[in-house]
Amino acid sequence: MLRLRPILWLILSGALLIAGIAVTTTLTVSNFKEKALRNGERELSNTALLLALHYDREIDDFLAMQNDIVTTARQMQQPSAEAFGGTMATLAMHQTLRSRARGATEITALKIFDAGGTLINTSDVWPVPVLSIADQRYFLDHKSGTAQRVTVALEQNALAGGWSIVLAQRLTAADGEFLGVVTRAITPAHFDRFLSQVSLVGESAVSMHHSDGILLTRHPYAEGMIGRNFRDGPPQQQAMFDDDTTARLTSPIDGQDRLVASHALTELPIVMVVTTTTEDALASWRTQTKLMVSVAAVSALVVTVILLLIINQIGKHHRATQRKLQLDKQRLDTAINNMSQGLLLFDAQARLVICNQRYMEMYGLSPEVVKPGCSLRDVLEHRKSTGSLGGNIDKITTDLIDRLSSQRVSEIHSIHDRSIEFSSVPVPGGGWVITHEDATERKRYDERISYLAHFDSLTDLPNRSMFRQRLENELQRASRGAPFALLYIDIDEFKSINDTLGHPVGDELLKQVAVRLRDCVRETDFVARLGGDEFAIIQIGVGGADEATALVDRIYESIRLPYQCLGHLLSTDASIGIAIAPRDGADLDQLVKNADLAMYSAKAEGRRTFRFFEPEMDAVAKTRRQLEFDLRNAIADRGFEIHYQPQVDLRSGAITGCEALLRWRHPTRGMISPAEFIPIAEDTGLINEIGAWTLATACSEAATWDADITLAVNISPVQFRQPSLALLVASVLGAAGLPAERLELEVTEAVLIHDDDAALSTLTQLRALGVRISLDDFGTGYSSLSYLQRFPFDKIKIDRSFIDGIDTTEGSTAIVQAVVNIAASRRMTTTAEGVETARQREILTTLGCTQMQGWLFSPAIPAAAFRKLLTSHLSTCAA
């Protein structure tokens, strides 16, 4: 019945809708019928009015001659009846009447009767025939003075053989004495000729009645009805002759139901009556009715079909819904029983509705006890018996129902070694949903997340976030008179260890460094890892620089001891910057910045040392930042120059090549040393753009020299780490038109020390282009003969530090000799840099050095000057 109830309601609604359509159609049809009848009456009334207006005008014209005679009678000098008769009975008057009534027939002739009713003159014949109207009613009324000005009478006309309508007017003297009447007749045929031209629909009819009800004429003609008085009918029929009206009557002429409209003429006692049959008036209504009934029938049929389709669709939908509900129930059961949470649903009487499998498993409960219909107390009693709940069950049940029924509950309970999260939500209408979730692992995970948010996962030291919190607290204490020291520690050469030995070894080194740093401080101090190879220490209660220095000494003593890291024995050192609070900064960011500046000052002074912050360091940093800004502008404005220093063969004295040296002429500071701006360009990465410009400009210049002059260009280690270096060199050589064998690229040992495999790969690519490779500053850095073994350089450049003291007794002659011998054995040439005296040149020649470069021959000069030097030198050599 529940399933069928919607369908029954739908059928009832459909039946009501169909009934509504039927009732609406019936009412509309009835309304339209009444409207059609009213429209018919209105049209008939308009027609009657128009006809009345027409005949008012026509009869006024018809009576014009009579009016003239009436006027003549009143103006006579002798007002007596005898005098009037004598005047009017003359031939002259006949001729006057004839001329006025020109074209009139005997019937419509103008006739004058004397006071006795005898015809005394006429407009149609002469002599006047004998005719008397003394016995006519209209004459007697005029004679007695009871008639209207113009009377209308219907009388038989023997001459015409039918009826005629006589219009009579009273003739009186000026003093009112009755002199006679003047008449003129109109036949019904006259009216019929006009009425036949009136457009009548169907069985419509137009009648002309005397106001007393006598039918004067009718179109179409009704045999035997002319002269009949119609005031003997029902009241509605009688009322038509008294006033302008419309009515619905049964016609006394043909017995049909008709719509009737009447309208009286203005001056005459004549009423125009227009009728039409009800059938004709309702002709258009019947057409509309058929259409409306058809539409209503079709609508009812459509509604019926739609109802049947809807009922059929509802049936299908119901069956599909039942299948879906069954499937959803199965899915819900599957989902509930596979939840990670235990779930219970109780109704308003604390009776169990749903319990999933997870809840049973969490507490080891029996499905025979915990099942739908059991009470909350039964569930808690069973849990107590299985050991997962303790206490007074009645009290626990009462308290739990009170809490669960009125509010949300979310709690965590410890059961044995597990943390169980208990949550409850009231259900609308009564009852509640309870979930039990084992939150043990989540709680541990949250604790781990909280730990990782404040501690470094690699070293277990506090991280940057916790460091800033602690530093903020210490700054507040420092403002109250508790100074402290902030140490910024950067592990020296850590990147090279990471790159050469791998990240696992680097990570192990950082963990051991963290342990040693922690061992160097007191319990009140704070050690943190800021990221990468940077650490920080907050040293509490520092009275002066001596206490911070003592801590630094302990740190150096500890971290400089060797480390055993995954099979590698390593040693390391650190650069340390120190800022004292609040002296060096009462604001967190300012203090950190100053400690960082002090650390970078220590790195700039050769690393492996420490520096306290000094105000001048900030100025140096600002100067460096300004220089970096100016350097970027110089790149954009092409503010660099290239000077060229000749390289001379020591045996022949001829110029064999030159080294391209970058110069920067600052707009305000003048010429800035490369030693000042090149490190900044390398740190910021700008060296790549500067180096590419230098290479392209120098190669374009060298292409204009003699073919035996080579060009040496320095390549920064930063540039060398670009995998596209060989491609850049090839494109520059092609654009400049310079042969590859005339280009010599100078690299330092720093290129090889970080990632020698990648460096050797790039060197091999450059050698494949035909470019010569020179090892610059050999012996001043981490020199390793293995480099010379692994890659056959074309040239070794001996640094000026070895040339400066070569002519002294404790000079570097032996070192230079060793380098020359090594180069010769490897088929490499050698170039000595910084040759400034003739004695140095002689010694180098004796030692077998190939080339020299220095102020003894020429300093680095601009391109134009170098071209002149080449020209003059060639002229000298030729001479």
Side-chain angles (χ1 to χ4, degrees), residues 854-868:
W855 281 59
L856 177 63
F857 185 80
S858 172
I861 55 179
F866 182 71
R867 286 195 295 271
K868 291 180 180 179

Side-chain angles (χ1 to χ4, degrees), residues 299-313:
S299 300
L301 180 61
V302 169
V303 170
T304 302
V305 172
I306 292 175
L307 282 175
L308 293 175
L309 292 175
I310 292 175
I311 291 170
N312 181 58
Q313 191 65 28

Side-chain angles (χ1 to χ4, degrees), residues 52 132 195 312 336 373 387 505 712 743 772 803:
S132 175
L195 294 176
N312 181 58
I336 288 176
V505 175
L743 177 62
R772 295 166 56 84
I803 305 303

Side-chain angles (χ1 to χ4, degrees), residues 580-600:
I580 306 297
R583 182 191 70 188
D584 296 332
D587 174 73
L588 186 149
D589 291 330
Q590 185 64 38
L591 185 64
V592 168
K593 171 190 169 186
N594 292 342
D596 196 42
L597 286 173
M599 182 192 72
Y600 273 101

Side-chain angles (χ1 to χ4, degrees), residues 501-755:
L501 301 179
H503 290 282
V505 175
D507 290 346
E508 181 62 27
L509 176 61
L510 290 176
K511 287 193 284 186
Q512 294 189 31
V513 169
V515 172
R516 295 187 185 185
L517 289 177
R518 192 185 294 114
D519 291 340
C520 291
V521 300
R522 300 164 299 181
E523 290 184 0
T524 56
D525 296 336
F526 182 84
V527 183
R529 182 191 177 201
L530 304 183
D533 59 350
E534 290 188 1
F535 296 85
I537 296 177
I538 300 176
Q539 186 182 13
I540 307 301
V542 174
D546 292 342
E547 295 181 35
T549 303
L551 175 58
V552 170
D553 292 340
R554 292 197 302 272
I555 291 172
Y556 278 133
E557 183 180 356
S558 177
I559 67 172
R560 286 172 177 170
L561 296 175
Y563 298 85
Q564 187 65 39
C565 299
L566 303 180
H568 296 274
L569 186 63
L570 304 176
S571 61
T572 189
D573 215 316
S575 299
I576 304 176
I578 308 169
I580 306 297
R583 182 191 70 188
D584 296 332
D587 174 73
L588 186 149
D589 291 330
Q590 185 64 38
L591 185 64
V592 168
K593 171 190 169 186
N594 292 342
D596 196 42
L597 286 173
M599 182 192 72
Y600 273 101
S601 177
K603 291 169 70 73
E605 296 185 23
R607 304 176 185 268
R608 299 174 178 80
T609 186
F610 70 96
R611 288 290 181 269
F612 283 92
F613 170 74
E614 299 174 359
E616 294 78 7
M617 293 178 180
D618 192 22
V620 171
K622 290 180 180 178
T623 302
R624 176 188 169 91
R625 286 194 297 273
Q626 183 61 45
L627 193 61
E628 179 184 339
F629 176 77
D630 294 341
L631 191 60
R632 294 181 184 275
N633 288 336
I635 293 173
D637 300 337
R638 295 289 188 264
F640 296 104
E641 303 174 9
I642 299 179
H643 289 191
Y644 300 89
Q645 187 170 35
Q647 294 176 343
V648 181
D649 186 274
L650 284 170
R651 295 186 181 277
S652 65
I655 298 176
T656 58
C658 72
E659 180 180 2
L661 299 172
L662 184 65
R663 296 291 183 263
W664 179 20
R665 195 180 302 277
H666 193 276
T668 58
R669 295 176 54 185
M671 195 68 74
I672 298 180
S673 171
E676 184 176 355
F677 71 82
I678 289 296
I680 297 176
E682 289 181 333
D683 290 343
T684 58
L686 297 175
I687 193 64
N688 291 312
E689 192 171 351
I690 296 173
W693 177 85
T694 302
L695 181 63
T697 304
C699 287
S700 296
E701 174 65 24
T704 65
W705 304 336
D706 291 340
D708 58 345
I709 305 298
T710 62
L711 171 69
V713 180
N714 288 284
I715 300 296
S716 166
V718 176
Q719 286 180 272
F720 219 83
R721 288 196 288 269
Q722 299 297 317
S724 59
L725 178 61
L727 182 61
L728 171 65
V729 172
S731 64
V732 167
L733 290 174
L738 183 70
E741 60 272 12
R742 290 183 58 193
L743 177 62
E744 182 179 292
L745 298 180
E746 297 185 2
V747 299
T748 63
E749 293 167 309
V751 168
L752 302 169
I753 194 170
H754 293 296
D755 191 353

Side-chain angles (χ1 to χ4, degrees), residues 109 120 154 158 163 263 372 466 494 506 586 626 741 785 824:
I120 59 175
L154 181 68
W163 295 96
H263 203 286
M466 192 170 181
F494 176 75
Q626 183 61 45
E741 60 272 12
L785 296 180

Side-chain angles (χ1 to χ4, degrees), residues 648-651 803-804 806-808 832 834-847 849 851-858:
V648 181
D649 186 274
L650 284 170
R651 295 186 181 277
I803 305 303
D804 288 342
I806 197 172
D807 55 353
T808 63
V835 178
E836 297 181 356
T837 65
R839 178 59 181 162
Q840 291 173 342
R841 180 180 62 185
E842 292 173 1
I843 295 173
L844 290 171
T845 303
T846 303
L847 294 177
C849 185
Q851 296 175 336
M852 74 168 188
Q853 177 181 340
W855 281 59
L856 177 63
F857 185 80
S858 172

